[in-house]
Amino acid sequence: MPIGAVTQLTGISSHTLRKWETRYAAVEPVRTETGRRLYTQVQVQRLSLLRDLIRQGHQISQLAAMSDEDLEGLRQAPPVEQTQRSYEAAVVVGPVLSAVLRKKNVAGLQFESEAGAAWLTKTAAKSAPRERGEALAVELPTITEADVQSLITVRREHFDHVVVVYGFANRKSLRRLLDSGLLCLKAPVGAEELLQSLAVVVEGRTVLANLEAVPAHRFSQASIARLAALSPKLQCECPNHIAQLLLDISAFEQYSMECEDTDPAERALHARLRLIAANARSLFEEAMAEVAENEGLELEEL
């Protein structure tokens, strides 16, 4: 089935389907010679499972690596608790995560640039637990059996909340970690998503709590500019107008984000403006993708 039919059957937007494929490898549709995506009935059933579980409160980054059988079992289990606790401080372990979050200048974060596996082994061996109530984010390129045991021990003895950002892990390891109360995110993970997962509290409020819904940029600025400069085959100027709107909205989105960082007194307002701009951009990116497909144009997806 083509992507249009799948969106109608599942209620999942084409933009979301592409994101689940490219970022999380949740499904791998067949590609035609012209590059069009085609989905099997089994894949459509899997997508429906993912949709239902996300509505229950699960995250796609946790679900993508699970088998269809595990997903079905999870759907039949009681829904996850929707409330989220906030923490006054969090430890961030690993060079990549530390570099990503240092740029945000968020108070309450303690950075450990040591490799995740070595830090976990050392921390799990400590007899005296650290003060409870802190959250932990740790990066692991690969989750080994030893890492699983260390993570479970660290979660039980030292931290109330543990987020694992991993590159590769088998389903058995992920299942053990999830059953032990850990949150597992497939790399790469952006700063906003990671902070939201940690729910760090700054100045009495959960930092960036409203940014979970901020859509990521789908196309490069250069790709949008190229479309704006093209002479369309359509008998109207819609492609050019959409591209120009995207450039303008993206510029306002960036401006709002800069105002949010430089004007603390109006931070909440500018955060809201940025969110509105980002959602508007996402809608026009969807329109741009449809126009480009109609025009036979190649766009540079991020």
Side-chain angles (χ1 to χ4, degrees):
M1 282 175 280
I3 193 169
V6 176
T7 60
Q8 292 181 4
L9 285 171
T10 63
I12 305 170
S13 71
S14 58
H15 173 63
T16 299
L17 286 174
R18 295 187 185 99
K19 180 180 178 181
W20 288 3
E21 173 195 346
T22 57
R23 180 171 181 181
Y24 301 105
V27 292
E28 293 185 19
V30 177
R31 292 280 190 156
T32 67
E33 293 182 356
T34 58
R36 295 185 63 198
R37 292 170 170 83
L38 294 178
Y39 297 81
T40 66
Q41 182 63 41
V42 172
Q43 289 174 328
V44 173
Q45 292 172 349
R46 176 177 174 82
L47 289 168
S48 297
L49 269 174
L50 293 171
R51 175 203 61 203
D52 293 346
L53 288 167
I54 288 172
R55 287 174 178 174
Q56 288 182 13
H58 298 278
Q59 296 186 10
I60 184 61
S61 53
Q62 295 176 272
L63 303 173
M66 297 174 63
S67 67
D68 292 350
E69 182 180 358
D70 288 340
L71 291 174
E72 184 60 48
L74 191 60
R75 182 168 65 172
Q76 296 174 6
V80 297
E81 179 62 44
Q82 295 296 322
T83 59
Q84 183 176 35
R85 179 176 175 180
S86 298
Y87 300 90
E88 297 291 341
V91 178
V92 180
V93 181
V96 176
L97 294 187
S98 295
V100 168
L101 290 184
R102 282 184 195 275
K103 298 178 181 178
K104 305 303 291 186
N105 294 319
V106 174
L109 297 183
Q110 173 188 329
F111 297 101
E112 301 284 349
S113 58
E114 185 177 2
W119 187 92
L120 284 170
T121 301
K122 179 176 64 178
T123 304
K126 291 180 178 179
S127 56
R130 66 166 60 237
E131 183 180 352
R132 302 293 298 191
E134 290 186 333
L136 167 69
V138 56
E139 67 180 65
L140 292 169
T142 302
I143 299 179
T144 66
E145 284 296 320
D147 294 331
V148 171
Q149 190 56 51
S150 293
L151 284 164
I152 293 174
T153 300
V154 167
R155 166 69 175 83
R156 183 180 65 247
E157 302 292 339
H158 300 276
F159 292 91
D160 285 349
H161 180 51
V162 176
V163 179
V164 185
V165 180
Y166 67 95
F168 173 80
N170 59 49
R171 288 195 293 268
K172 180 181 178 181
S173 295
L174 289 176
R175 168 55 59 187
R176 287 185 63 194
L177 294 175
L178 292 171
D179 289 344
S180 298
L182 286 82
L183 175 60
C184 303
L185 302 178
K186 183 74 168 65
V189 176
E192 286 82 7
E193 182 179 0
L194 186 55
L195 285 171
Q196 177 66 24
S197 300
L198 288 171
V200 179
V201 170
V202 179
E203 298 174 354
R205 65 183 180 83
T206 304
V207 68
L208 300 178
N210 65 333
L211 291 187
E212 184 180 21
V214 173
H217 285 265
R218 182 172 172 184
F219 303 112
S220 68
Q221 291 291 91
S223 187
I224 299 172
R226 282 197 301 272
L227 184 61
L230 288 175
S231 297
K233 293 182 294 183
L234 298 176
Q235 298 299 314
C236 68
E237 297 295 319
C238 286
N240 308 74
H241 286 313
I242 292 172
Q244 188 58 54
L245 281 168
L246 270 174
L247 292 173
D248 292 341
I249 292 172
S250 296
F252 178 72
E253 181 184 358
Q254 179 65 30
Y255 177 75
S256 298
M257 185 167 58
E258 292 171 356
C259 289
E260 181 182 353
D261 292 336
T262 58
D263 189 356
E266 300 292 340
R267 183 172 291 156
L269 171 62
H270 290 115
R272 177 63 180 162
L273 291 175
R274 181 201 172 192
L275 179 61
I276 293 172
N279 283 314
R281 168 181 49 75
S282 180
L283 289 172
F284 278 104
E285 284 176 335
E286 187 70 24
M288 181 175 176
E290 293 184 15
V291 168
E293 184 175 356
N294 185 81
E295 294 279 293
L297 303 174
E298 289 292 332
L299 296 174
E300 182 184 344
E301 297 253 5
L302 294 175

